[in-house]
Amino acid sequence: MIEWEEKYSIGISIIDEEHKELIRIMNAAIVAKQHNSNIEDISKLLKELTVYALNHFSTEESYMVEFNYPEFQYHKEEHHDFSSKTITYCSRVIEGDYHIASEILEYLKQWLVNHIQITDKKYVECFKKNGLK
Ligand SMILES: [Fe+2]
């Protein structure tokens, strides 16, 4: 489980809300896995996570384009890595590779907390300068 902590806040409300929702879905998947829920429930949550993450990435990326954020390319590549890994992992779980689910969740969890605290925090100054709060 990921407990929301102040260190995850980047101080821009629309982004913080989306990060909280991502963490909520991720926690639901972690709990489902811990309770040995069936494969349908876990893959449903992984799909939900993938769809939500893709939407969230496009929220961030459209601001980056709009504000001419200099590290856009690099940031976009990190998002792309996450999306393609999640999609691959998801399909493996859906195909019945059940035991891989814990590994996936651990990977996604680490990725998310690192990405928020390191890569996302870098655009805060630029986004705030352009009026986001
Ligand atoms: Fe990001």
Side-chain angles (χ1 to χ4, degrees), residues 60 75 79 115 120 123:
E60 287 187 352
H75 201 122
H79 286 167
H115 181 80
D120 284 345
Y123 63 56

Side-chain angles (χ1 to χ4, degrees), residues 18-19 21-23 25-26 45-61 79-80 82-84 86-87 108 111-112 115:
E18 292 192 0
H19 285 158
E21 181 62 9
L22 268 177
I23 289 174
I25 305 169
M26 177 109 43
L45 286 163
L46 286 174
K47 268 196 223 162
E48 192 185 336
L49 184 65
T50 311
V51 171
Y52 196 85
L54 289 172
N55 284 327
H56 166 64
F57 294 159
S58 73
T59 306
E60 287 187 352
E61 288 170 19
H79 286 167
H80 179 78
F82 177 88
S83 314
S84 58
T86 325
I87 292 164
L108 299 179
W111 187 94
L112 187 64
H115 181 80

Side-chain angles (χ1 to χ4, degrees), residues 2 34-35 43 46 50 58-59 62 65 67 69 75 87 91-93 96 120 130:
I2 310 173
Q34 279 164 352
H35 294 173
S43 40
L46 286 174
T50 311
S58 73
T59 306
S62 23
V65 171
F67 303 151
Y69 178 58
H75 201 122
I87 292 164
S91 20
R92 285 178 65 182
V93 172
D120 284 345
N130 283 280

